[in-house]
Amino acid sequence: MSDPKTTFTGYARYRATGQLAFLLHRITGLGILLFLLIHIVDTSFVYFAPELYDHAIQIYRSLPFMIGEIFLVWAVFYHGFNGLRIIIFDLWKPEWWEKDIAVKSVYWVLVLSILAWLPAAFIMGKAVIENHFLGG
Ligand code: HEM
């Protein structure tokens, strides 16, 4: 059975690349969760407080939010790919946790997540430039 303390002691259990993968997985997981929770609340404003809903949409159109959303897309790709890596290793290939393969797989996940993210980042980045810098 899993020990709740592992949630905290986990911070000290990996080294170098594994620690980076673990931290990114936690940060992206919590980041996506935070965004989802906020988004459920602000979308509910359309029914409960329409005047606040318009305000929320304005915030989403601001420069920091639009840039944040581009990184949110990367966070979803990274968390998804890394989550699949963990699931595959844990369920079917525990011997792949052996250091060399595990370290290489972290880099593969990083490369894949960036490649999958680039088209969306390009389209969203174009919208940022058009809306905020070209007055479109
Ligand atoms: C694309 C589908 C997803 C996959 C394949 C996936 C996979 C996983 C896996 C395997 C873990 C456990 C990691 C471990 O054993 O250390 C995990 C943790 C977690 N996931 Fe996901 N996940 C997905 C989507 C999401 C979404 C949409 C959210 C947020 C709404 C989320 C939030 C979290 C959080 C907060 C954790 C805990 C992280 C930690 O304890 O460090 N995940 N995910």
Side-chain angles (χ1 to χ4, degrees), residues 24-81:
L24 284 178
H25 196 81
R26 182 160 285 189
I27 292 165
T28 52
L30 291 175
I32 300 164
L33 184 63
L34 180 70
F35 174 80
L36 199 61
L37 292 176
I38 294 172
H39 200 41
I40 289 167
V41 171
D42 68 49
T43 304
S44 76
F45 286 166
V46 79
Y47 180 78
F48 295 110
E51 67 288 355
L52 282 180
Y53 182 75
D54 290 340
H55 183 60
I57 295 298
Q58 288 309 316
I59 294 174
Y60 278 112
R61 286 184 183 154
S62 68
L63 185 60
F65 261 72
M66 284 183 83
I67 291 173
E69 280 174 341
I70 297 178
F71 287 101
L72 179 71
V73 174
W74 175 78
V76 172
F77 278 124
Y78 174 82
H79 190 92
F81 283 128

